[in-house]
Amino acid sequence: VQLQASGGGLVQAGGSLRLSCAASGLIFRRYGVAWFRQAPGKERKFLGGIGWNTNSPDYADSVRGRFTISRDNAKNTMYLQMNSLKSEDSAVYYCAVRVWGGSNFDPDYWGQGTLVTVSS
């Protein structure tokens, strides 16, 4: 199984970014998908996820209303749309999956991470 995250970069506060995560080596529709992030010196934190059999995302309070998670099973890809970015959103962002997972889970597999830097 491989998860390839992309779309990170440098953005000004208040701006937007869209992260993508392409999955291979698995039957994607059977997996719950989620995004996490880890800021320097801090532990990795759950941001949100979508269960394998639902289109209703679950979000952490810190990003609810600003971030949107989606998935396209036909493309084996998951997305994280990030709006109204703040400096505290700067982190390495990771995609993750779990077979038959719900919207919040301990992952089976992780992507390699993509760096997001928000300048104030």
Side-chain angles (χ1 to χ4, degrees), residues 64-80:
R64 185 176 292 112
R66 298 190 299 124
F67 290 11
T68 302
I69 294 172
S70 60
R71 63 186 296 166
D72 186 336
N73 288 344
K75 295 182 178 180
N76 284 7
T77 303
M78 55 194 286
Y79 305 96
L80 179 65

Side-chain angles (χ1 to χ4, degrees), residues 62-109:
S62 59
V63 303
R64 185 176 292 112
R66 298 190 299 124
F67 290 11
T68 302
I69 294 172
S70 60
R71 63 186 296 166
D72 186 336
N73 288 344
K75 295 182 178 180
N76 284 7
T77 303
M78 55 194 286
Y79 305 96
L80 179 65
Q81 176 67 43
M82 305 185 291
N83 298 329
S84 303
L85 284 162
K86 308 174 183 178
S87 57
E88 53 262 44
D89 293 320
S90 296
V92 177
Y93 284 69
Y94 297 90
C95 54
V97 298
R98 180 182 177 92
V99 66
W100 311 123
S103 57
N104 192 346
F105 50 77
D106 290 328
D108 292 330
Y109 302 101

Side-chain angles (χ1 to χ4, degrees), residues 38-62:
Q38 187 168 21
K42 297 187 177 181
E43 62 182 20
R44 192 173 301 187
K45 292 188 176 181
F46 169 81
L47 298 178
I50 302 175
W52 74 277
N53 62 344
T54 176
N55 282 321
S56 299
D58 182 28
Y59 295 99
D61 289 343
S62 59

